[in-house]
Amino acid sequence: MANCIVFHTQIASIMEVLANAAVAEICKLVDDDYAVFRLEITQSQKENRALRRKLQLQELKVSRERTEGTMRERVLTSRPRSVKILDRYRGMARGEGPLTGGHRSFVRPAGHNTWRDDQPITVEEGSGTSTQHVIVIESADIEAAGPGFKQERSEGEEDPRHSRDIQTVATGGAPAAPEDPTASPAQPRTRRSITEVSGMLNAVLKSETDTKTLTVTQRLLPTGSDHRSDPERLEPLGCPPALGSEYLLYGNLSPRTIQSHRDSGDVLETGNNPSCSYTTEMDPDNMALGLERQTDLSRGDWNRYSSSVYSEGCLDKKGEGLVVGEVTVKVEGDAPPTWNADSHLGDGLSQGRDFLDYSERLETNTNVVTHSPLHALRHHDPVSTSMGPSDSHGHVLFDQVLNSNNRARAQTQGGGTTSGYSKEKRFLCMFCNKGFSCSQKVERHQRVHTGEKPFSCTQCDMRFAQAGHLKRHQRVHTGEKPYNCTQCDMRFAQAGDLKRHQRVHTGEKPYSCPQCEKRFSERSYLRIHQQKNHSTL
DNA sequence: CTGGGGAGGGGGCCC
DNA sequence: TGGGCCCCCTCCCCA
């Protein structure tokens, strides 16, 4: 018995020794591999840094060469230094409109003659040439960008800060160097712009940021996955294309109250381009204002990028703004590159235009510029949306404009208020950051920004963003009026019409004027009444 | 001012 | 979860 115990003890000791030896061996192997791995990583990082420096040097060299060449041709006034971030607003490339498949180009926005050479930056891919608008952000002289400044220029006024010149921002404050847009393909152009931003701001952009930025800007170029750019793969009329993940999926976001404007249709609805087999309607002018077609970033690539941005960023719970440490470009005294001065597309502002204009103003005033329009929006809860005194000027301005038409409706519908977000809305519009409960909803919503109208009426030229709207519209042709009044013979094609009509019978006037207590059966009457008699709204 | 026509945006429900 | 559909609310326009 004693021998047995001794034997077991010895066995246990041997096992322990063996186990310890094994552990030590494993640790040694791990340490060795780890050291090797670290060494490889270090070497790779060194190589990356060297390549990055080399790239920057080459780009600066090219930039200087162009500067020398073009400086002679230009009279340089006190033009402010400009910073262009070409990939700030990626394309809303859903509706290619006149854009033929497979082509992507960078051009100055139509009508913006201040883009020095009046020549589009064209990147021809394939057999054709198409246009693609570039939205850029310019940094004005600090002295020109006073606090809370607001640029409202008259039509036709030529503000150099709004010129679409691509200018090199020399680190030493040298005059901006115009760049020949025609001489530079889109990708290096964009990349250089970012690099220049980095150069000017020095430490604002870390090297990692540059890398990330370069990666993103490269995605501006079309990819093979862009099925919408391929006419061969276009969906038939009336059938929406399979949509990619053109929205942001972000969990646990506080509700957004940012609404988009109505009436995009009038502006976005352009002349029908018979060459466009896809039924998207895009207004080229409008595209220039905010619906540029830097396609790929509007798709999964962009979403991935944005997701990464979000993952790296920090959402201020107070809604003060999204802090994206490594990707945020801080531009002091940035002039608002609004397009108001030289673009008038009618009475109504398009959604994209509104968004662009005021989001950029917002960025200007908050001195935060990032590469995503999402960052241009202040992330704030619905309560803070009501333009509280703590809001920054830009914040207020942006809210005033972006929500002006929709705030009331959003509140009544619960679309932009707390009550409307009882359900988790993880799917974010990548243009306005509004949250939706499912991807279909956000895809449908994003057509507001893109102008995409995939549903085409076979009997007229009308196009619609929603299938239900097309179906409803077709009653115009069929004469179907399924909603009939029970108190008279009136019939209506829309349920809302019947409901509105029934107030004739009921005498209901739910809308009362707060000034004179006069009551109206429709809200629009009240609004007109207030406009005429009380000078409100 | 009233009433109707038609469209845009979005929520909810069902499969 | 995606897709489709229906419905609601709202708006603009016009007679």
Side-chain angles (χ1 to χ4, degrees):
Chain A
M1 188 60 184
N3 289 337
C4 185
I5 293 173
V6 170
F7 177 74
H8 282 289
T9 303
Q10 290 175 346
I11 292 296
S13 298
I14 292 171
M15 291 291 289
E16 183 177 356
V17 169
L18 290 175
N20 290 336
V23 169
E25 186 70 17
I26 291 171
C27 290
K28 184 174 181 300
L29 290 173
V30 169
D31 289 342
D32 292 343
D33 291 342
Y34 179 70
V36 172
F37 187 58
R38 284 289 301 268
L39 181 61
E40 291 177 353
I41 290 176
T42 303
Q43 290 175 347
S44 297
Q45 289 176 340
K46 289 180 180 178
E47 292 175 359
N48 287 339
R49 281 194 291 268
L51 290 173
R52 194 176 298 125
R53 280 194 293 269
K54 186 176 180 181
L55 177 63
Q56 290 178 348
L57 287 174
Q58 289 179 347
E59 289 172 344
L60 288 175
K61 182 179 177 181
V62 172
S63 176
R64 276 195 294 270
E65 290 174 354
R66 288 189 183 139
T67 300
E68 293 171 357
T70 53
M71 285 281 281
R72 301 188 194 96
E73 304 170 0
R74 267 192 151 183
V75 177
L76 289 180
T77 60
S78 60
R79 175 185 295 270
R81 295 183 294 274
S82 296
V83 175
K84 316 280 189 186
I85 306 176
L86 297 182
D87 63 338
R88 254 270 283 86
Y89 290 95
R90 68 265 174 266
M92 314 210 180
R94 307 296 300 276
E96 304 302 339
L99 193 65
T100 54
H103 306 138
R104 292 292 183 277
S105 303
F106 289 94
V107 300
R108 61 174 176 80
H112 297 272
N113 296 326
T114 50
W115 195 322
R116 182 257 157 277
D117 24 51
D118 298 335
Q119 295 295 329
I121 308 169
T122 301
V123 177
E124 292 196 15
E125 298 182 43
S127 59
T129 300
S130 61
T131 59
Q132 181 163 350
H133 301 286
V134 177
I135 301 300
V136 295
I137 291 178
E138 301 179 7
S139 168
D141 284 341
I142 294 178
E143 63 269 18
F149 75 94
K150 173 182 176 183
Q151 288 218 345
E152 290 290 348
R153 292 182 295 122
S154 59
E155 183 174 5
E157 182 180 353
E158 199 73 13
D159 189 336
R161 283 173 300 203
H162 290 258
S163 70
R164 267 36 186 174
D165 295 338
I166 298 298
Q167 299 173 355
T168 301
V169 180
T171 305
E179 170 183 314
D180 185 2
T182 60
S184 174
Q187 178 174 341
R189 174 191 186 89
T190 302
R191 184 168 53 200
R192 192 177 78 216
S193 296
I194 298 302
T195 304
E196 288 162 2
V197 171
S198 174
M200 185 188 77
L201 299 173
N202 290 328
V204 174
L205 283 177
K206 302 176 183 179
S207 59
E208 290 83 2
T209 304
D210 292 339
T211 303
K212 183 184 294 295
T213 303
L214 295 182
T215 302
V216 172
T217 55
Q218 286 168 359
R219 289 175 184 166
L220 291 171
L221 294 178
T223 63
S225 62
D226 186 1
H227 68 279
R228 271 172 291 265
S229 65
D230 187 353
E232 297 295 323
R233 302 175 63 179
L234 290 175
E235 297 293 331
L237 292 176
C239 180
L243 299 176
S245 56
E246 297 185 66
Y247 50 84
L248 296 176
L249 177 59
Y250 187 76
N252 299 325
L253 272 180
S254 60
R256 303 286 180 267
T257 58
I258 295 169
Q259 299 282 327
S260 55
H261 280 254
R262 288 173 50 88
D263 303 331
S264 65
D266 293 340
V267 178
L268 294 175
E269 194 77 21
T270 62
N272 301 322
N273 187 348
S275 66
C276 179
S277 58
Y278 184 52
T279 60
T280 298
E281 286 291 324
M282 303 292 286
D283 187 332
D285 290 335
N286 196 47
M287 292 290 291
L289 297 172
L291 303 180
E292 69 276 37
R293 301 166 184 163
Q294 299 173 16
T295 306
D296 297 309
L297 284 178
S298 69
R299 291 185 172 77
D301 287 343
W302 171 256
N303 286 324
R304 283 192 293 274
Y305 169 60
S306 297
S307 299
S308 66
V309 168
Y310 272 109
S311 65
E312 296 167 5
C314 173
L315 184 63
D316 189 338
K317 290 182 179 181
K318 291 181 180 180
E320 301 286 331
L322 179 66
V323 180
V324 185
E326 293 192 352
V327 189
T328 297
V329 181
K330 186 172 183 178
V331 179
E332 300 286 351
D334 191 1
T338 60
W339 302 82
N340 296 344
D342 43 5
S343 293
H344 292 272
L345 301 178
D347 295 335
L349 292 173
S350 72
Q351 293 137 345
R353 180 178 178 180
D354 286 350
F355 172 78
L356 177 63
D357 285 353
Y358 292 95
S359 64
E360 288 181 345
R361 288 181 184 175
L362 170 65
E363 293 172 69
T364 297
N365 290 302
T366 53
N367 294 329
V368 173
V369 175
T370 64
H371 302 296
S372 167
L374 300 175
H375 307 124
L377 305 175
R378 301 302 109 195
H379 294 221
H380 49 94
D381 56 46
V383 177
S384 64
T385 308
S386 57
M387 296 178 283
S390 62
D391 285 341
S392 66
H393 172 77
H395 186 176
V396 172
L397 179 61
F398 184 42
D399 255 355
Q400 282 177 334
V401 175
L402 198 57
N403 294 325
S404 59
N405 286 342
N406 292 308
R407 186 181 297 116
R409 180 173 33 165
Q411 289 172 349
T412 56
Q413 294 183 352
T417 60
T418 305
S419 61
Y421 284 88
S422 58
K423 196 173 181 179
E424 185 183 18
K425 297 186 175 182
R426 303 184 300 123
F427 299 92
L428 300 181
C429 171
M430 63 186 201
F431 302 115
C432 70
N433 225 23
K434 185 177 181 182
F436 294 87
S437 58
C438 61
S439 62
Q440 290 80 27
K441 294 294 189 293
V442 71
E443 288 172 357
R444 186 181 68 181
H445 160 77
Q446 286 181 166
R447 296 183 192 136
V448 171
H449 305 291
T450 63
E452 180 185 14
K453 294 184 175 182
F455 305 98
S456 174
C457 178
T458 57
Q459 298 181 269
C460 68
D461 293 333
M462 288 291 294
R463 291 182 170 85
F464 302 90
Q466 297 187 26
H469 293 167
L470 171 61
K471 185 176 182 180
R472 183 181 61 185
H473 158 78
Q474 287 177 331
R475 293 175 191 154
V476 174
H477 302 298
T478 63
E480 179 188 7
K481 294 186 176 181
Y483 305 97
N484 57 317
C485 178
T486 58
Q487 298 178 270
C488 67
D489 294 333
M490 289 290 293
R491 302 180 66 88
F492 301 91
Q494 295 189 22
D497 295 340
L498 172 60
K499 183 176 182 180
R500 184 177 55 183
H501 160 76
Q502 286 179 327
R503 292 186 189 135
V504 175
H505 301 300
T506 62
E508 181 186 7
K509 293 185 176 180
Y511 307 101
S512 62
C513 176
Q515 278 83 18
C516 65
E517 301 299 327
K518 190 174 177 61
R519 302 188 69 85
F520 302 89
S521 59
E522 295 186 29
R523 188 187 301 275
S524 59
Y525 307 160
L526 170 60
R527 188 175 55 256
I528 294 171
H529 163 79
Q530 289 179 313
Q531 288 173 346
K532 287 185 176 179
N533 299 285
H534 306 298
S535 299
T536 60
L537 300 177

